[in-house]
Amino acid sequence: MNNNNNDVTKKYGLFTAITMIVGICIGSGIFFKSDNVLIATNGSIALGVLSFILAAISIIFGCLTIGELASRTDKVGGLISYAEMFLTRKVACAMGWFQTFVYYPTITSVVAWVIGVYINILFNLQASLEFEILIGYIFLLLCFVYNILLPKFGAFIQNSTTLIKLLPLFILGILGIIFGDPINGLANTSINTLSGTGWISALGPIAYSFDGWIVTTSISHELKDAKKNMPKALMLGPLIVLSIYVLYFIGISCYVTPEVVMTLGDRHVSLAAQNLFGPAFSKMIIIFIVISVIGTVNGLVIGYIRMPYSLSLRKNMFPFSKHLRKIDKRFQMPLNSAICSLIICTIWMFVHYLCTKYNLLYNSDVSEGAIGISYIFYTLLYIRVFKMYLDKEIKSKFKGLVCPILATIGSLIILSGGIQNKLFIFYIIFCILLFLYSLYYYQKNNH
Protein backbone atom coordinates (compact mmCIF):
# COMPACT_ATOMS: atom_id res chain seq x y z
CA MET A 1 0.00 0.00 0.00
CA ASN A 2 1.51 3.30 -0.96
CA ASN A 3 1.26 6.54 0.93
CA ASN A 4 -0.76 8.36 -1.63
CA ASN A 5 -2.52 11.25 0.03
CA ASN A 6 -4.18 12.80 -3.00
CA ASP A 7 -7.61 11.78 -1.75
CA VAL A 8 -7.24 13.93 1.37
CA THR A 9 -8.19 17.60 1.14
CA LYS A 10 -5.49 20.21 1.86
CA LYS A 11 -7.60 21.98 4.45
CA TYR A 12 -5.04 23.64 6.79
CA GLY A 13 -2.74 26.65 6.37
CA LEU A 14 0.45 27.89 8.05
CA PHE A 15 -1.49 29.78 10.71
CA THR A 16 -3.30 26.60 11.80
CA ALA A 17 0.02 24.72 11.97
CA ILE A 18 1.55 27.40 14.21
CA THR A 19 -1.56 27.62 16.37
CA MET A 20 -1.50 23.83 16.76
CA ILE A 21 2.02 24.02 18.21
CA VAL A 22 1.31 27.04 20.40
CA GLY A 23 -2.21 25.84 21.19
CA ILE A 24 -1.19 22.33 22.23
CA CYS A 25 1.91 23.36 24.17
CA ILE A 26 0.21 26.29 25.88
CA GLY A 27 -2.74 24.62 27.45
CA SER A 28 -3.01 22.97 30.81
CA GLY A 29 0.68 22.31 31.43
CA ILE A 30 1.90 25.74 32.45
CA PHE A 31 -1.10 26.25 34.73
CA PHE A 32 -1.16 22.95 36.59
CA LYS A 33 2.54 22.06 36.42
CA SER A 34 3.98 25.28 37.91
CA ASP A 35 3.60 23.88 41.44
CA ASN A 36 5.31 20.63 40.37
CA VAL A 37 8.24 22.63 39.02
CA LEU A 38 8.60 24.66 42.23
CA ILE A 39 8.34 21.53 44.39
CA ALA A 40 11.18 19.97 42.37
CA THR A 41 13.33 23.11 42.68
CA ASN A 42 12.57 23.50 46.39
CA GLY A 43 10.74 26.78 45.70
CA SER A 44 13.52 28.33 43.59
CA ILE A 45 12.09 30.51 40.83
CA ALA A 46 15.53 30.98 39.23
CA LEU A 47 16.11 27.23 38.95
CA GLY A 48 12.61 26.90 37.56
CA VAL A 49 13.41 29.42 34.82
CA LEU A 50 16.71 27.61 34.14
CA SER A 51 14.78 24.35 33.82
CA PHE A 52 12.40 25.94 31.31
CA ILE A 53 15.35 27.14 29.22
CA LEU A 54 17.10 23.75 29.36
CA ALA A 55 13.90 21.99 28.31
CA ALA A 56 13.41 24.54 25.54
CA ILE A 57 16.76 23.54 24.03
CA SER A 58 15.32 20.15 23.16
CA ILE A 59 12.13 21.67 21.77
CA ILE A 60 13.47 24.59 19.74
CA PHE A 61 16.44 22.81 18.19
CA GLY A 62 14.41 19.61 17.93
CA CYS A 63 11.82 21.49 15.89
CA LEU A 64 14.50 23.00 13.65
CA THR A 65 16.02 19.56 13.11
CA ILE A 66 12.71 17.79 12.40
CA GLY A 67 11.81 20.73 10.18
CA GLU A 68 14.75 19.78 7.95
CA LEU A 69 13.10 16.38 7.38
CA ALA A 70 9.64 17.93 7.06
CA SER A 71 10.91 20.09 4.19
CA ARG A 72 11.65 16.90 2.23
CA THR A 73 8.26 15.15 2.43
CA ASP A 74 4.55 15.74 2.94
CA LYS A 75 3.50 12.09 3.13
CA VAL A 76 0.80 10.86 5.52
CA GLY A 77 1.95 10.17 9.06
CA GLY A 78 4.24 13.02 10.05
CA LEU A 79 6.80 11.53 12.42
CA ILE A 80 6.11 7.99 11.16
CA SER A 81 6.77 9.04 7.57
CA TYR A 82 10.05 10.69 8.62
CA ALA A 83 11.15 7.47 10.36
CA GLU A 84 10.10 5.40 7.35
CA MET A 85 11.91 7.59 4.83
CA PHE A 86 15.04 8.46 6.77
CA LEU A 87 15.49 5.51 9.16
CA THR A 88 13.89 2.08 8.57
CA ARG A 89 10.39 0.65 8.26
CA LYS A 90 10.90 -1.31 11.48
CA VAL A 91 11.70 1.85 13.43
CA ALA A 92 8.70 3.55 11.82
CA CYS A 93 6.49 0.64 12.92
CA ALA A 94 7.73 0.74 16.53
CA MET A 95 7.38 4.52 16.62
CA GLY A 96 3.86 4.34 15.20
CA TRP A 97 2.74 1.76 17.76
CA PHE A 98 4.23 3.83 20.59
CA GLN A 99 2.48 6.99 19.42
CA THR A 100 -0.82 5.18 18.89
CA PHE A 101 -0.95 3.12 22.08
CA VAL A 102 1.00 5.27 24.56
CA TYR A 103 2.07 8.78 23.57
CA TYR A 104 -1.10 10.34 22.16
CA PRO A 105 -3.68 8.67 24.42
CA THR A 106 -1.82 9.34 27.70
CA ILE A 107 -1.34 13.04 26.97
CA THR A 108 -4.85 13.47 25.58
CA SER A 109 -6.44 11.72 28.57
CA VAL A 110 -4.51 13.72 31.17
CA VAL A 111 -5.27 17.07 29.51
CA ALA A 112 -8.95 16.16 29.15
CA TRP A 113 -9.03 15.41 32.89
CA VAL A 114 -7.59 18.89 33.56
CA ILE A 115 -10.75 20.38 32.02
CA GLY A 116 -12.64 18.66 34.82
CA VAL A 117 -10.16 20.02 37.37
CA TYR A 118 -10.69 23.63 36.30
CA ILE A 119 -14.46 23.24 35.94
CA ASN A 120 -14.35 22.11 39.56
CA ILE A 121 -12.32 25.21 40.51
CA LEU A 122 -14.48 27.55 38.39
CA PHE A 123 -17.70 26.62 40.18
CA ASN A 124 -16.03 25.83 43.53
CA LEU A 125 -17.72 22.43 43.54
CA GLN A 126 -15.27 20.68 45.88
CA ALA A 127 -16.02 17.70 43.68
CA SER A 128 -14.35 14.31 43.71
CA LEU A 129 -11.67 13.00 41.36
CA GLU A 130 -14.35 10.81 39.80
CA PHE A 131 -16.40 13.88 38.88
CA GLU A 132 -13.37 15.60 37.34
CA ILE A 133 -12.58 12.49 35.29
CA LEU A 134 -16.22 12.27 34.14
CA ILE A 135 -16.31 15.91 33.01
CA GLY A 136 -13.01 15.47 31.18
CA TYR A 137 -14.21 12.33 29.44
CA ILE A 138 -17.49 13.92 28.34
CA PHE A 139 -15.59 16.73 26.64
CA LEU A 140 -13.17 14.22 25.11
CA LEU A 141 -16.12 12.43 23.51
CA LEU A 142 -17.52 15.74 22.26
CA CYS A 143 -14.15 16.72 20.82
CA PHE A 144 -13.88 13.47 18.88
CA VAL A 145 -17.41 13.89 17.54
CA TYR A 146 -17.06 17.40 16.15
CA ASN A 147 -13.58 16.74 14.72
CA ILE A 148 -15.03 13.77 12.84
CA LEU A 149 -18.23 15.42 11.64
CA LEU A 150 -16.93 18.97 11.17
CA PRO A 151 -13.11 19.00 10.76
CA LYS A 152 -13.11 22.65 9.67
CA PHE A 153 -14.84 23.51 12.94
CA GLY A 154 -12.01 21.71 14.74
CA ALA A 155 -9.52 23.95 12.92
CA PHE A 156 -11.58 27.02 13.90
CA ILE A 157 -11.53 25.92 17.55
CA GLN A 158 -7.76 25.51 17.32
CA ASN A 159 -7.17 28.96 15.88
CA SER A 160 -9.57 30.83 18.16
CA THR A 161 -8.66 29.12 21.44
CA THR A 162 -4.96 29.79 20.82
CA LEU A 163 -5.59 33.52 20.69
CA ILE A 164 -7.88 33.45 23.72
CA LYS A 165 -5.56 31.35 25.87
CA LEU A 166 -2.71 33.85 25.62
CA LEU A 167 -4.69 36.50 27.52
CA PRO A 168 -4.50 35.05 31.06
CA LEU A 169 -0.82 34.20 30.60
CA PHE A 170 0.07 37.74 29.54
CA ILE A 171 -2.16 39.38 32.13
CA LEU A 172 -1.04 37.30 35.11
CA GLY A 173 2.59 37.23 33.97
CA ILE A 174 3.00 40.97 33.41
CA LEU A 175 0.94 42.11 36.43
CA GLY A 176 2.59 39.49 38.62
CA ILE A 177 5.98 40.98 37.79
CA ILE A 178 4.74 44.55 38.30
CA PHE A 179 3.02 43.93 41.65
CA GLY A 180 5.26 41.12 42.84
CA ASP A 181 8.90 41.12 43.87
CA PRO A 182 10.81 39.56 40.96
CA ILE A 183 14.29 40.68 42.12
CA ASN A 184 14.13 38.94 45.49
CA GLY A 185 12.09 36.10 44.04
CA LEU A 186 14.72 35.22 41.45
CA ALA A 187 17.58 35.67 43.92
CA ASN A 188 16.07 33.36 46.54
CA THR A 189 17.84 30.06 45.85
CA SER A 190 19.53 28.11 48.65
CA ILE A 191 23.01 26.59 48.35
CA ASN A 192 21.58 23.16 49.19
CA THR A 193 19.21 23.34 46.25
CA LEU A 194 22.00 24.33 43.87
CA SER A 195 24.35 21.61 45.10
CA GLY A 196 21.76 18.84 44.80
CA THR A 197 20.35 17.19 41.69
CA GLY A 198 16.71 16.94 42.79
CA TRP A 199 15.81 20.08 40.84
CA ILE A 200 16.51 18.18 37.61
CA SER A 201 13.21 16.35 38.16
CA ALA A 202 11.53 19.68 37.27
CA LEU A 203 12.34 18.82 33.66
CA GLY A 204 9.60 16.15 33.73
CA PRO A 205 6.65 18.49 34.29
CA ILE A 206 8.28 21.17 32.10
CA ALA A 207 8.66 18.69 29.25
CA TYR A 208 4.94 18.01 29.68
CA SER A 209 4.23 21.76 29.47
CA PHE A 210 6.22 22.06 26.25
CA ASP A 211 5.14 18.82 24.69
CA GLY A 212 2.80 18.65 21.74
CA TRP A 213 4.91 20.36 19.09
CA ILE A 214 5.43 17.08 17.26
CA VAL A 215 1.64 16.54 16.95
CA THR A 216 1.51 19.18 14.22
CA THR A 217 3.45 16.91 11.86
CA SER A 218 0.47 14.52 11.81
CA ILE A 219 -1.47 16.96 9.59
CA SER A 220 1.42 17.63 7.19
CA HIS A 221 -0.38 15.75 4.39
CA GLU A 222 -3.39 18.06 4.86
CA LEU A 223 -1.29 21.24 5.08
CA LYS A 224 -1.13 23.60 2.13
CA ASP A 225 2.43 23.86 0.75
CA ALA A 226 3.57 21.55 3.57
CA LYS A 227 7.25 21.38 2.57
CA LYS A 228 7.57 25.12 3.21
CA ASN A 229 4.92 25.74 5.85
CA MET A 230 5.69 22.83 8.19
CA PRO A 231 9.35 23.86 8.81
CA LYS A 232 8.21 27.47 9.35
CA ALA A 233 5.64 26.37 11.93
CA LEU A 234 8.18 24.13 13.69
CA MET A 235 10.59 27.07 13.95
CA LEU A 236 8.23 29.83 15.11
CA GLY A 237 5.89 27.91 17.42
CA PRO A 238 8.34 26.84 20.18
CA LEU A 239 9.97 30.30 20.38
CA ILE A 240 6.57 31.83 21.08
CA VAL A 241 5.85 29.17 23.72
CA LEU A 242 9.14 29.65 25.61
CA SER A 243 8.75 33.44 25.81
CA ILE A 244 5.22 33.22 27.19
CA TYR A 245 6.05 30.43 29.67
CA VAL A 246 8.96 32.25 31.28
CA LEU A 247 6.90 35.45 31.55
CA TYR A 248 4.02 33.64 33.26
CA PHE A 249 6.16 31.48 35.56
CA ILE A 250 8.15 34.43 36.90
CA GLY A 251 5.08 36.64 37.26
CA ILE A 252 2.83 34.15 39.06
CA SER A 253 5.60 32.81 41.31
CA CYS A 254 6.82 36.25 42.36
CA TYR A 255 3.32 37.56 43.00
CA VAL A 256 1.74 34.84 45.13
CA THR A 257 5.15 33.45 46.30
CA PRO A 258 6.48 29.95 45.57
CA GLU A 259 5.26 28.64 48.95
CA VAL A 260 1.65 29.53 48.14
CA VAL A 261 1.89 28.04 44.64
CA MET A 262 3.25 24.78 46.09
CA THR A 263 0.58 24.70 48.80
CA LEU A 264 -2.45 25.54 46.66
CA GLY A 265 -1.41 23.57 43.59
CA ASP A 266 -3.77 24.17 40.66
CA ARG A 267 -5.80 26.72 42.63
CA HIS A 268 -2.94 29.25 42.78
CA VAL A 269 -4.12 30.78 39.48
CA SER A 270 -7.53 31.60 40.90
CA LEU A 271 -5.97 33.17 44.02
CA ALA A 272 -3.65 35.40 41.98
CA ALA A 273 -6.49 36.60 39.75
CA GLN A 274 -8.75 37.24 42.75
CA ASN A 275 -6.07 39.25 44.58
CA LEU A 276 -5.35 41.33 41.49
CA PHE A 277 -8.88 41.99 40.25
CA GLY A 278 -11.43 40.56 42.67
CA PRO A 279 -13.68 37.46 42.56
CA ALA A 280 -15.47 38.31 39.30
CA PHE A 281 -12.28 38.65 37.26
CA SER A 282 -10.89 35.56 38.96
CA LYS A 283 -13.77 33.59 37.44
CA MET A 284 -13.03 35.12 34.04
CA ILE A 285 -9.40 34.00 34.22
CA ILE A 286 -10.47 30.43 35.03
CA ILE A 287 -12.88 30.54 32.07
CA PHE A 288 -9.96 31.56 29.85
CA ILE A 289 -7.93 28.66 31.24
CA VAL A 290 -10.74 26.20 30.54
CA ILE A 291 -10.87 27.50 26.96
CA SER A 292 -7.10 27.15 26.82
CA VAL A 293 -7.21 23.51 27.88
CA ILE A 294 -10.06 22.83 25.44
CA GLY A 295 -7.78 24.08 22.67
CA THR A 296 -5.03 21.70 23.79
CA VAL A 297 -7.34 18.68 23.81
CA ASN A 298 -8.70 19.73 20.42
CA GLY A 299 -5.22 19.88 18.89
CA LEU A 300 -4.26 16.51 20.34
CA VAL A 301 -7.43 14.90 19.02
CA ILE A 302 -6.86 16.41 15.55
CA GLY A 303 -3.50 14.67 15.49
CA TYR A 304 -4.48 11.45 17.20
CA ILE A 305 -7.49 10.46 15.11
CA ARG A 306 -5.14 10.18 12.12
CA MET A 307 -2.53 7.92 13.73
CA PRO A 308 -4.11 4.46 13.19
CA TYR A 309 -5.02 5.63 9.68
CA SER A 310 -1.40 6.63 9.00
CA LEU A 311 -0.11 3.25 10.14
CA SER A 312 -2.76 1.37 8.18
CA LEU A 313 -1.55 2.95 4.92
CA ARG A 314 1.77 1.19 5.39
CA LYS A 315 1.88 -2.44 4.35
CA ASN A 316 1.56 -4.92 7.24
CA MET A 317 2.38 -2.44 10.00
CA PHE A 318 -0.87 -2.48 11.95
CA PRO A 319 -3.82 -4.84 12.63
CA PHE A 320 -7.14 -4.28 10.82
CA SER A 321 -5.46 -1.97 8.30
CA LYS A 322 -8.10 -2.67 5.67
CA HIS A 323 -10.75 -1.07 7.89
CA LEU A 324 -8.65 1.66 9.47
CA ARG A 325 -7.45 3.18 6.20
CA LYS A 326 -10.96 3.79 4.86
CA ILE A 327 -11.83 7.45 4.32
CA ASP A 328 -15.47 8.26 5.01
CA LYS A 329 -16.55 10.15 1.89
CA ARG A 330 -19.19 12.15 3.77
CA PHE A 331 -16.72 13.74 6.17
CA GLN A 332 -13.39 13.26 4.33
CA MET A 333 -12.20 11.65 7.55
CA PRO A 334 -10.79 8.19 8.54
CA LEU A 335 -13.79 7.33 10.73
CA ASN A 336 -12.64 3.88 11.89
CA SER A 337 -9.25 5.30 12.81
CA ALA A 338 -10.94 7.94 14.95
CA ILE A 339 -13.08 5.33 16.74
CA CYS A 340 -9.99 3.21 17.41
CA SER A 341 -8.22 6.26 18.91
CA LEU A 342 -11.20 7.01 21.15
CA ILE A 343 -11.25 3.45 22.53
CA ILE A 344 -7.54 3.60 23.39
CA CYS A 345 -8.01 7.02 25.02
CA THR A 346 -10.83 5.60 27.13
CA ILE A 347 -8.56 2.84 28.46
CA TRP A 348 -5.79 5.28 29.36
CA MET A 349 -8.30 7.62 31.02
CA PHE A 350 -9.14 4.77 33.39
CA VAL A 351 -5.44 4.00 34.00
CA HIS A 352 -4.82 7.68 34.75
CA TYR A 353 -7.72 7.64 37.20
CA LEU A 354 -6.23 4.68 39.09
CA CYS A 355 -2.74 6.23 39.20
CA THR A 356 -4.13 9.53 40.49
CA LYS A 357 -6.57 7.95 42.92
CA TYR A 358 -3.88 5.88 44.62
CA ASN A 359 -0.97 8.33 44.10
CA LEU A 360 1.05 5.75 42.18
CA LEU A 361 3.11 8.42 40.40
CA TYR A 362 4.24 11.01 42.97
CA ASN A 363 4.36 14.56 41.59
CA SER A 364 3.74 13.12 38.11
CA ASP A 365 1.15 11.41 35.89
CA VAL A 366 0.89 8.76 33.17
CA SER A 367 1.83 11.17 30.39
CA GLU A 368 5.26 12.29 31.63
CA GLY A 369 6.87 8.87 31.11
CA ALA A 370 5.54 8.72 27.56
CA ILE A 371 6.93 12.16 26.82
CA GLY A 372 10.37 11.21 28.15
CA ILE A 373 10.52 8.02 26.08
CA SER A 374 9.37 9.82 22.94
CA TYR A 375 12.64 11.75 22.97
CA ILE A 376 14.50 8.50 22.31
CA PHE A 377 12.75 8.31 18.94
CA TYR A 378 13.33 11.99 18.26
CA THR A 379 17.04 11.50 18.93
CA LEU A 380 17.25 8.80 16.24
CA LEU A 381 15.93 11.35 13.75
CA TYR A 382 18.35 14.01 15.02
CA ILE A 383 21.24 11.61 14.45
CA ARG A 384 19.96 10.94 10.94
CA VAL A 385 19.96 14.67 10.14
CA PHE A 386 23.54 14.86 11.44
CA LYS A 387 24.50 11.97 9.14
CA MET A 388 22.83 13.75 6.22
CA TYR A 389 25.12 16.71 6.96
CA LEU A 390 28.18 14.45 6.98
CA ASP A 391 27.01 12.97 3.67
CA LYS A 392 26.66 16.53 2.34
CA GLU A 393 22.92 16.11 1.73
CA ILE A 394 22.47 19.12 4.03
CA LYS A 395 24.82 22.00 3.27
CA SER A 396 24.06 24.32 6.19
CA LYS A 397 26.34 23.80 9.21
CA PHE A 398 23.72 25.32 11.50
CA LYS A 399 20.88 23.07 10.27
CA GLY A 400 22.92 19.90 9.82
CA LEU A 401 25.42 20.14 12.69
CA VAL A 402 24.51 22.67 15.39
CA CYS A 403 20.75 21.97 15.53
CA PRO A 404 20.88 18.14 15.77
CA ILE A 405 23.69 18.23 18.35
CA LEU A 406 21.86 20.71 20.60
CA ALA A 407 18.56 18.85 20.05
CA THR A 408 20.23 15.59 21.13
CA ILE A 409 21.70 17.24 24.23
CA GLY A 410 18.24 18.61 25.02
CA SER A 411 16.71 15.14 24.65
CA LEU A 412 19.24 13.69 27.11
CA ILE A 413 18.37 16.48 29.54
CA ILE A 414 14.66 15.64 29.28
CA LEU A 415 15.37 11.92 29.76
CA SER A 416 17.49 12.65 32.84
CA GLY A 417 14.53 14.51 34.28
CA GLY A 418 12.22 11.56 33.65
CA ILE A 419 14.59 9.07 35.26
CA GLN A 420 14.26 10.98 38.54
CA ASN A 421 10.84 9.33 38.92
CA LYS A 422 11.39 5.90 40.50
CA LEU A 423 8.53 4.33 38.53
CA PHE A 424 9.99 5.47 35.20
CA ILE A 425 11.72 2.07 34.90
CA PHE A 426 8.33 0.33 34.80
CA TYR A 427 7.24 2.66 32.02
CA ILE A 428 10.37 1.77 30.08
CA ILE A 429 9.73 -1.96 30.55
CA PHE A 430 6.14 -1.58 29.35
CA CYS A 431 7.25 0.38 26.27
CA ILE A 432 10.05 -2.11 25.50
CA LEU A 433 7.48 -4.92 25.52
CA LEU A 434 5.26 -2.87 23.19
CA PHE A 435 8.20 -2.20 20.87
CA LEU A 436 9.13 -5.89 20.78
CA TYR A 437 5.57 -6.93 19.98
CA SER A 438 5.29 -4.32 17.23
CA LEU A 439 8.50 -5.65 15.68
CA TYR A 440 7.24 -9.23 16.03
CA TYR A 441 4.00 -8.24 14.28
CA TYR A 442 5.96 -6.49 11.53
CA GLN A 443 8.35 -9.40 11.04
CA LYS A 444 5.54 -11.96 11.05
CA ASN A 445 3.61 -10.11 8.35
CA ASN A 446 6.57 -9.08 6.18
CA HIS A 447 8.33 -12.31 5.24
Side-chain angles (χ1 to χ4, degrees):
M1 177 64 59
N2 63 36
N3 291 339
N4 189 347
N5 57 330
N6 293 330
D7 57 338
V8 179
T9 305
K10 301 282 186 178
K11 59 176 75 75
Y12 303 118
L14 174 62
F15 186 68
T16 296
I18 293 175
T19 57
M20 271 192 73
I21 294 175
V22 176
I24 293 172
C25 291
I26 298 178
S28 59
I30 188 60
F31 296 115
F32 89 104
K33 293 290 186 179
S34 293
D35 56 311
N36 301 82
V37 173
L38 288 169
I39 289 170
T41 62
N42 198 25
S44 171
I45 300 173
L47 277 181
V49 172
L50 176 62
S51 300
F52 272 104
I53 294 171
L54 288 174
I57 292 174
S58 64
I59 309 300
I60 293 171
F61 289 101
C63 279
L64 290 171
T65 306
I66 296 295
E68 196 60 28
L69 301 179
S71 67
R72 287 166 164 76
T73 180
D74 60 355
K75 289 185 177 179
V76 175
L79 201 64
I80 301 173
S81 66
Y82 306 155
E84 186 178 28
M85 285 189 66
F86 302 106
L87 297 173
T88 69
R89 280 179 53 82
K90 287 184 178 181
V91 173
C93 181
M95 186 180 292
W97 279 57
F98 170 71
Q99 286 199 307
T100 301
F101 289 109
V102 182
Y103 178 79
Y104 275 95
T106 57
I107 299 173
T108 306
S109 300
V110 170
V111 180
W113 161 66
V114 174
I115 293 176
V117 171
Y118 281 103
I119 289 292
N120 190 2
I121 293 172
L122 176 63
F123 295 105
N124 196 26
L125 300 174
Q126 304 296 319
S128 63
L129 171 65
E130 289 77 9
F131 177 82
E132 293 173 346
I133 291 286
L134 177 62
I135 292 297
Y137 187 68
I138 289 173
F139 176 75
L140 185 65
L141 284 173
L142 179 64
C143 192
F144 268 92
V145 169
Y146 70 68
N147 269 293
I148 291 170
L149 302 181
L150 301 166
K152 289 186 177 180
F153 179 71
F156 167 76
I157 291 290
Q158 198 58 42
N159 295 342
S160 59
T161 56
T162 298
L163 298 176
I164 293 171
K165 71 174 57 183
L166 298 180
L167 290 175
L169 287 167
F170 276 120
I171 292 171
L172 293 176
I174 292 172
L175 294 183
I177 290 174
I178 293 173
F179 294 105
D181 190 2
I183 295 176
N184 288 330
L186 289 168
N188 185 23
T189 302
S190 68
I191 299 297
N192 290 335
T193 303
L194 286 171
S195 61
T197 58
W199 66 273
I200 296 176
S201 64
L203 294 170
I206 288 175
Y208 177 95
S209 300
F210 269 110
D211 202 68
W213 57 275
I214 202 67
V215 175
T216 308
T217 62
S218 67
I219 65 163
S220 60
H221 61 290
E222 297 174 73
L223 189 65
K224 299 169 185 174
D225 200 4
K227 291 183 179 180
K228 290 183 179 179
N229 286 333
M230 186 56 69
K232 287 179 182 178
L234 289 171
M235 178 179 66
L236 295 173
L239 290 172
I240 296 171
V241 173
L242 173 62
S243 303
I244 295 171
Y245 273 5
V246 171
L247 173 69
Y248 173 80
F249 181 74
I250 293 175
I252 202 75
S253 301
C254 290
Y255 181 67
V256 299
T257 75
E259 292 75 20
V260 172
V261 174
M262 291 186 287
T263 301
L264 291 182
D266 302 335
R267 294 181 179 271
H268 72 272
V269 184
S270 179
L271 175 68
Q274 184 168 324
N275 289 347
L276 283 168
F277 303 105
F281 192 80
S282 171
K283 295 287 186 183
M284 186 62 66
I285 288 291
I286 299 300
I287 290 172
F288 281 143
I289 292 174
V290 171
I291 293 172
S292 170
V293 183
I294 285 173
T296 301
V297 176
N298 184 76
L300 287 167
V301 169
I302 287 175
Y304 187 31
I305 58 181
R306 291 159 173 81
M307 282 306 302
Y309 165 74
S310 299
L311 276 173
S312 69
L313 290 178
R314 291 158 171 84
K315 186 178 179 181
N316 299 327
M317 270 198 189
F318 205 66
F320 309 110
S321 293
K322 181 180 178 181
H323 303 286
L324 292 173
R325 63 172 168 254
K326 288 182 179 178
I327 297 288
D328 190 294
K329 294 182 179 179
R330 293 168 298 175
F331 312 118
Q332 279 293 298
M333 180 66 59
L335 183 60
N336 293 332
S337 174
I339 294 171
C340 175
S341 299
L342 176 59
I343 292 170
I344 298 170
C345 258
T346 301
I347 294 170
W348 273 108
M349 195 77 154
F350 181 68
V351 173
H352 169 61
Y353 162 71
L354 293 177
C355 289
T356 306
K357 178 78 172 179
Y358 299 104
N359 196 26
L360 300 180
L361 297 169
Y362 172 72
N363 202 33
S364 182
D365 56 57
V366 295
S367 65
E368 288 185 16
I371 292 167
I373 291 171
S374 68
Y375 279 88
I376 297 173
F377 285 113
Y378 302 162
T379 301
L380 295 176
L381 292 171
Y382 302 158
I383 293 171
R384 179 69 180 102
V385 170
F386 177 69
K387 188 175 184 303
M388 290 168 70
Y389 170 75
L390 295 180
D391 295 339
K392 302 189 184 306
E393 292 180 55
I394 298 175
K395 306 297 182 183
S396 169
K397 183 175 289 187
F398 176 73
K399 293 180 180 179
L401 180 64
V402 175
C403 286
I405 288 175
L406 290 178
T408 300
I409 292 171
S411 293
L412 295 175
I413 291 172
I414 295 294
L415 280 170
S416 68
I419 292 171
Q420 300 293 316
N421 191 314
K422 294 178 181 179
L423 290 178
F424 189 69
I425 185 65
F426 295 105
Y427 222 114
I428 291 177
I429 292 171
F430 171 75
C431 288
I432 288 174
L433 293 175
L434 180 67
F435 298 155
L436 291 175
Y437 185 78
S438 69
L439 295 177
Y440 165 77
Y441 180 88
Y442 179 86
Q443 197 70 30
K444 179 182 177 182
N445 292 281
N446 287 274
H447 294 300

